[in-house]
Each structure stands twice: as structure tokens, then as C-alpha cells.
């Protein structure tokens, strides 16, 4: 698998699947989640509502992933994953790694060859960029997947630098 980095807008990526750093409600929010729902249009929210009414009545659990249509995005699917909120008192690294593994598992189920990830949990969930980048890159590298390209699409120069350092470190 090839891992690439790009600074930019994840909602503009023409890939098979875009990973959404969702909240457990699946109803949209701020950051990446809000951008995906705004640019993708109402069909994403409609599918999320159906998921909430059926399989995920209490919301999507942290570390898990589920797919919907990509609506008006240039991708085929959106894979929603809920990252953990950072805690200095409790190591939640496993949950953050799980977001990446589960997203790739869902991508395999869909037959996706190209997947774009944001920096999951680094926005309002407060995860330090360096640690999140190390965990994300490590989880993707270790994943048994048929995905041919994983693209980390980082919104800020700081995020790009953190992921670049994680990618070259190991």
C-alpha cells in the first residue's frame, strides 16, 4: 500500500472513500464532520438518520466505522469513524488506532482502492498532532488491507508536518 500526504480539503478528494472524523450521533458537527455534511449534501444525513434508526440507536461507538453514500462529494463513499477525545489521564491510543483499522476494514468491504483520512481526533477532541500522526500512520501501516492508496489529507501546515515526521520516522 502506498501512503501519501497532502495539505488541503478532504472534501475535494476524488477517491473511492473519504473518512469522516464524525461524532457518535452521525448527525454532523464542526470541523471535518461539518464540512463533509455541508459539501456532501442531504443524502449523507439521510443515510446517517437511517443508521441511527436501525443499527446505531445509541450512536456509533468510539473506534468503530460505518459507510454511507458520499452524496455530492467527488468520492464514492464516506466512512464515518468516531475518534476518542484525548485524555492525559487515560491512554486511548488503542481507540484511535481502531478508527483507522476499522475504516480500512469497511473500505475493504466496499471494495475501495483509495481512501483519504483526515487527522482524526486532533480538532475539538484535542489529540496532540504528533501523537495522533504516529498512531494513525502506525495503524495504517500495520493493517491487513486490500486498499492500494491511503492519503492523509491534512488541513493545516502543522498537521502536515506532524504526519510527514511520523511517516519518515518509521
Amino acid at each position: 500500500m502506498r501512503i501519501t500526504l497532502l495539505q488541503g480539503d478532504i472534501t475535494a478528494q476524488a477517491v473511492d472513500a473519504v473518512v469522516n472524523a464524525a461524532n457518535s450521533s452521525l448527525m454532523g458537527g464542526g470541523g471535518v464532520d461539518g464540512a463533509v455534511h455541508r459539501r456532501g449534501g442531504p443524502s449523507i444525513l439521510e443515510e446517517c438518520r437511517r443508521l441511527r434508526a436501525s443499527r446505531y440507536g445509541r450512536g456509533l461507538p468510539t473506534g468503530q466505522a460505518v459507510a454511507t453514500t458520499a452524496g455530492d462529494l467527488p468520492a464514492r463513499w464516506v466512512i464515518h469513524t468516531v475518534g476518542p477525545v484525548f485524555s492525559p489521564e487515560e491512554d486511548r491510543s488503542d481507540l484511535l488506532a481502531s478508527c483507522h483499522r476499522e475504516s480500512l476494514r469497511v473500505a475493504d468491504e466496499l471494495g475501495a482502492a483509495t481512501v483519504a483520512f483526515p487527522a482524526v481526533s486532533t480538532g475539538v477532541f484535542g489529540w496532540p498532532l504528533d501523537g495522533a500522526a504516529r498512531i494513525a500512520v502506525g495503524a495504517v501501516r500495520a493493517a491487513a488491507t486490500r486498499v492500494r492508496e491511503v492519503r492523509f489529507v491534512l488541513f493545516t501546515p502543522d498537521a502536515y508536518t506532524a504526519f510527514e515526521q511520523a511517516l519518515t520516522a518509521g
Side-chain angles (χ1 to χ4, degrees), residues 80-164:
H80 306 268
T81 191
V82 180
V85 174
F86 178 75
S87 169
E89 290 85 33
E90 180 184 350
D91 183 7
R92 298 177 179 165
S93 300
D94 225 29
L95 287 169
L96 185 55
S98 179
C99 291
H100 295 84
R101 286 190 305 268
E102 287 298 305
S103 294
L104 290 172
R105 180 190 59 75
V106 170
D108 282 342
E109 288 175 0
L110 296 168
T114 55
V115 177
F117 279 92
V120 177
S121 285
T122 62
V124 296
F125 286 9
W127 209 286
L129 280 170
D130 292 342
R134 182 182 43 76
I135 293 164
V137 169
V140 166
R141 279 188 169 142
T145 181
R146 292 183 306 280
V147 171
R148 289 195 313 266
E149 180 189 357
V150 167
R151 187 179 304 169
F152 285 103
V153 182
L154 298 317
F155 195 66
T156 66
D158 289 350
Y160 184 92
T161 298
F163 275 76
E164 185 177 46

Side-chain angles (χ1 to χ4, degrees), residues 28-39:
V32 171
D33 196 20
V36 165
H37 278 270
R38 278 189 306 278
R39 181 145 184 209

Side-chain angles (χ1 to χ4, degrees), residues 27 43 45-56:
M27 296 294 125
S43 60
L45 184 58
E46 288 171 22
E47 272 196 56
C48 286
R49 283 191 177 123
R50 283 195 290 276
L51 287 167
R52 284 299 305 272
S54 60
R55 293 175 37 197
Y56 299 105

